[in-house]
């Protein structure tokens, strides 16, 4: 790098952080409509009562981290608890609320939070699956239903949406997010925040949302959960931060610190992250809570000697609520006496927490979310369960189909085989809030029975366990397959394999499931594989041998019915992947929006970027997904070949359903900035439309692009576009090469 370039970057970076800090200093807690009430209340509070508001304890209704202590009831009565997690139902919440309201001097209501991630009682597909619907209305509505159910069970606050961009499927938490793309992830982040919070937080069917895990928790080295994150500033800003920012722009009420570090500073003690970036530059005006015991973990990170130190670091970094570590409650008073923390800083946090409680209406009526009659009326209504079925089928992605699916309902017999064909607990995946795992979910076998009734002979055989090497069950399974007209083979991971602390170094089908697939497909070629899993798996072998593969993720409470709708053609699959499926683990991280490199692969030039043992391309790319019908894109055009920064570019394309079924297509638009002051990805998603077309129907689609769509962090890290040539790609996946171009002046 030339010395002059280095100097420019250095200056710009300094300016950038300096400006951020200045903003942060100017930016105090944003005034609430309840400003007067909050200030009055704070003026009456003792220091102990203030610190109590900053303390979050865990109830004992779920365990989502190391158990620290359980005498929370006494602590509530002593005014030492401002917020709690893992406690719900209208009855239980009322009891806890009563302890706080009746026993404490000022009667400040408790705030009850819970991980309502993809439904509360009615469980929708896992968030990664839901993202594959590319249907923002559906995603928003699922969050809204979850909020309605949770709020009826005493919950005021969800620790969702999780918007961590994830490009390493070894990481077990890819199942909780919206995949690999920052642009799509941002749209989904907004939809989820809007769904949970609605337009008015004080309504008794909306809840406070929490954007997590800020920041870049989805990028642990080697995909191992909780591992260190080490990113360039550019990658952090371009790839990982946009969805958090989108959630802030949508008005998210709270944010959670990530367990990991950024640039050597753990997020829980990272002043730059909270005060300069989120509050200063982005205008976040909610409160920040740590992840579970994250203050305590600052000691193990090696930035604090003890919990006292850790608590001082966290509060001074801008953190407001201590989840479970009990550092704030036990050490902040001393830290104030020692002059290491100011009381003003505590007041800021108290202000933010009380503001949320006022906005939720808890001071008007602390029991407004604890109504047992409403709870009964609202939870798992017919309409909600129907919606879960719709979400379940919309999330399905058809990965391969040699004219096997859909199966006719006029068959005489079907074999339903596989370790995941009839296991209720696996249908809803992980992070299922209060969802019933063991009795309510509809298994695939049950869904097929519901669909076919008694006129078709249904044979079920498990074949093998999900993680077994025993072939004892193969014989019976092969026999069933041989006797049947068609076969459904349900394979994948059990529900616990994709979640927190569930990273895998190999992401093949576990146990001998591939061998079972070999045996079953050999016995009957009319076999469709149904996959259930929370992450991309390396299924090259399955792709080689299977006539059809349908990815169903963990499809939710109504999973079996939803999948049966797809298998038998009552619903034509329209899901598209939001995360790349690699061919093998050696390709990871693999994602569509990679850089070109100075030596992009050229088959006739040995010294270009490639593997010698596997193609560069993934097994299934981002945006990919088949349908029972086919779609054709034609007449791609731009309305201007040259535009200025003020112009809106119209991109037109004609989409036709050229196959034999009605169906929906997710038409995707990608851009490529050909020459920039810094290198740009080979493709970046900038638009999509989900269009339903009857067979034979045609529709002209128009995408609008403005300067914002061409903007990025330039060489000096300012955000904006640069003049030059752009390519535009339109099609049914990120692999499309159907393109046009224009010049930005
Ligand atoms: C997870 C968070 C979750 C919290 C509370 C943590 O272990 O990382 O995502 O919200 O527990 O359950």
């Amino acid at each position: 790098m030339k010395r002059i370039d280095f100097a420019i970057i250095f200056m710009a970076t300094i300016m950038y952080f300096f400006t951020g800090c200045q903003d942060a200093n100017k930016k105090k807690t944003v005034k609430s409509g309840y400003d007067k009430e909050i200030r009055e209340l704070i003026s009456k509070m003792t220091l102990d009562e203030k610190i109590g508001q900053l303390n979050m304890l865990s109830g004992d209704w779920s365990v989502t981290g190391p158990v620290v202590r359980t005498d929370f009831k006494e602590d509530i009565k002593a005014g030492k608890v401002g917020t709690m997690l893992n406690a719900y139902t209208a009855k239980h919440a009322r009891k806890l609320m009563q302890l706080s309201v009746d026993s404490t001097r000022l009667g400040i209501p408790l705030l009850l939070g819970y991980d309502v991630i993809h439904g509360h009682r009615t469980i929708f597909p896992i968030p990664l699956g839901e993202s594959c619907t590319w249907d923002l209305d559906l995603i928003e509505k699922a969050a809204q239903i979850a909020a309605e159910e949770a709020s009826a069970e005493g919950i005021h606050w969800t620790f969702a949406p999780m918007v961590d961009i994830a490009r390493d499927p070894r990481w077990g938490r890819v199942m909780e997010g919206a995949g690999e793309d920052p642009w799509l992830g941002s749209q989904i982040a907004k939809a989820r925040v809007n769904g949970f919070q609605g337009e008015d937080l004080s309504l008794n069917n909306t809840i406070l949302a929490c954007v997590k895990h800020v920041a870049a928790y989805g990028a642990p080295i080697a995909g191992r959960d909780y591992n260190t994150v080490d990113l360039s500033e550019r990658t952090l800003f371009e790839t990982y931060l946009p969805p958090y920012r989108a959630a802030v722009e949508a008005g998210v009420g709270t944010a959670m610190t990530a367990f990991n570090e950024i640039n050597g500073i753990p997020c829980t003690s990272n002043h730059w992250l909270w005060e300069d970036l989120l509050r200063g530059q982005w205008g976040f005006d909610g409160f920040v809570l740590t992840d579970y015991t994250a203050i305590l973990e600052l000691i193990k990170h090696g930035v604090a000697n003890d919990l006292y130190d850790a608590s001082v670091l966290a509060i001074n970094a801008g953190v407001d609520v201590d989840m479970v570590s009990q550092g704030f409650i036990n050490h902040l008073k001393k830290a104030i006496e020692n002059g290491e923390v100011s009381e003003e800083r505590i007041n800021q946090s108290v202000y933010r927490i009380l503001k949320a409680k006022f906005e939720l209406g808890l001071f008007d009526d602390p029991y407004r979310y604890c109504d047992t009659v409403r709870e009964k009326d609202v939870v798992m209504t017919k309409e909600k369960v129907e919606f879960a079925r719709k979400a379940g089928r919309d999330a399905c992605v058809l990965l391969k189909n040699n004219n096997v699916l859909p199966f006719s309902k006029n068959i005489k017999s079907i074999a339903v085989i596989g370790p995941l064909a009839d296991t209720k607990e696996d249908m809803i995946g992980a992070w299922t809030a209060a969802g019933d795992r063991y009795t309510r979910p509809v298994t695939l076998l049950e869904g097929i029975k519901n669909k076919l009734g008694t006129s078709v002979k249904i044979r079920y055989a498990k074949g093998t366990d999900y993680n077994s090497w025993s072939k004892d069950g193969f014989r019976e399974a092969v026999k069933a397959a041989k006797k049947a007209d068609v076969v459904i083979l349900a394979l994948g991971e059990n529900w616990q394999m994709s979640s927190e602390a569930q990273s895998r170094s190999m992401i093949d089908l576990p146990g001998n499931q591939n061998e079972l697939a070999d045996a079953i497909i050999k016995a009957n070629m009319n076999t469709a594989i149904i996959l259930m899993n929370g992450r991309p798996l390396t299924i090259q072998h399955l792709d080689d041998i299977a006539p059809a593969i349908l990815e169903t993720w963990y499809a939710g409470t109504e999973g079996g019915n939803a999948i049966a709708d797809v298998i038998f053609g009552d619903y034509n699959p329209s899901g598209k992947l939001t995360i790349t499926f690699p061919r093998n683990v050696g390709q990871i991280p693999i994602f569509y929006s990679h850089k070109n490199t100075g030596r992009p692969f050229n088959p006739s030039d040995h010294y270009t970027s490639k593997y010698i043992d596997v193609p560069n391309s993934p097994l299934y790319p981002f945006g990919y997904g088949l349908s029972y019908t086919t779609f054709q894109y034609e007449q791609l055009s731009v309305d201007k070949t040259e535009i200025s920064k003020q112009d809106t570019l119209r991109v037109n394309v004609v989409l036709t359903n050229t196959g034999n079924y009605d169906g929906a297509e997710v038409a995707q638009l990608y851009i490529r900035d050909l020459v920039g002051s810094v290198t740009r990805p080979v493709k970046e998603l900038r638009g999509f439309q989900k269009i339903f077309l009857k067979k034979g129907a045609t529709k002209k689609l128009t995408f609008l692009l403005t300067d914002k769509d061409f903007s990025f962090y330039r060489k000096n890290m300012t955000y904006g576009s640069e003049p030059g040539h752009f390519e535009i790609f339109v099609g049914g996946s990120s692999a499309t090469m159907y393109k046009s171009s224009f010049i930005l002046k």
Side-chain angles (χ1 to χ4, degrees), residues 92-106:
H92 186 55
R94 177 178 287 272
K95 279 193 190 150
L96 293 174
M97 189 63 97
Q98 256 161 358
L99 293 179
S100 192
V101 172
D102 296 348
S103 306
T104 62
R105 190 177 71 94
L106 295 168

Side-chain angles (χ1 to χ4, degrees), residues 64 85 115 159 173 212-213 256 259 291-292 323 500:
T64 49
L85 78 157
D115 290 289
F159 309 131
R173 299 193 80 168
K212 72 184 188 186
H213 306 82
M256 187 185 286
F259 285 126
D291 203 343
Y292 203 104
M323 188 195 282
E500 183 173 352

Side-chain angles (χ1 to χ4, degrees), residues 395-456:
C396 291
V397 184
L398 185 61
L399 298 176
K400 183 175 178 190
N401 193 16
N402 286 347
N403 288 321
V404 175
L405 289 175
F407 287 155
S408 157
K409 282 180 231 162
N410 296 326
I411 45 172
K412 293 210 165 45
S413 62
I414 181 170
V416 182
I417 297 172
L420 289 141
D422 196 28
T423 52
K424 285 190 180 283
E425 62 270 27
D426 293 315
M427 296 311 295
I428 59 176
W431 288 113
T432 43
D436 169 358
R437 178 173 302 286
Y438 297 99
T439 56
R440 179 59 181 80
V442 180
T443 69
L444 181 53
L445 179 63
E446 288 166 347
I448 290 171
K449 283 182 177 164
N450 293 342
K451 180 71 67 186
L452 298 177
T454 49
S455 58
V456 178

Side-chain angles (χ1 to χ4, degrees), residues 593-639:
S593 62
H594 59 82
K595 302 290 182 73
N596 201 36
T597 83
R599 293 187 177 191
F601 177 55
N602 173 354
S604 50
D605 185 347
H606 178 68
Y607 293 100
T608 54
S609 184
K610 65 175 182 308
Y611 298 102
I612 57 172
D613 55 354
V614 68
N616 283 0
S617 63
L619 183 59
Y620 308 120
F622 175 88
Y624 169 83
L626 303 171
S627 162
Y628 295 151
T629 189
T630 47
F631 293 97
Q632 191 175 325
Y633 291 81
E634 290 168 304
Q635 300 171 43
L636 175 61
S637 66
V638 286
D639 69 335

Side-chain angles (χ1 to χ4, degrees), residues 56-68 84-88 113-117 159 173 176 212-213 217 225-226 256 259 289-294 297 323-324 430-434 495 499-501:
M56 170 180 259
L57 292 187
S58 178
D60 44 16
W61 281 50
S62 294
V63 178
T64 49
V67 177
V68 175
M84 275 191 72
L85 78 157
N86 296 342
Y88 58 89
Y114 195 44
D115 290 289
V116 179
I117 307 292
F159 309 131
R173 299 193 80 168
E176 273 177 72
K212 72 184 188 186
H213 306 82
Y217 180 46
D225 203 7
Y226 316 128
M256 187 185 286
F259 285 126
L289 83 156
T290 71
D291 203 343
Y292 203 104
T293 58
E297 291 163 27
M323 188 195 282
V324 180
W431 288 113
T432 43
W495 70 274
S499 184
E500 183 173 352

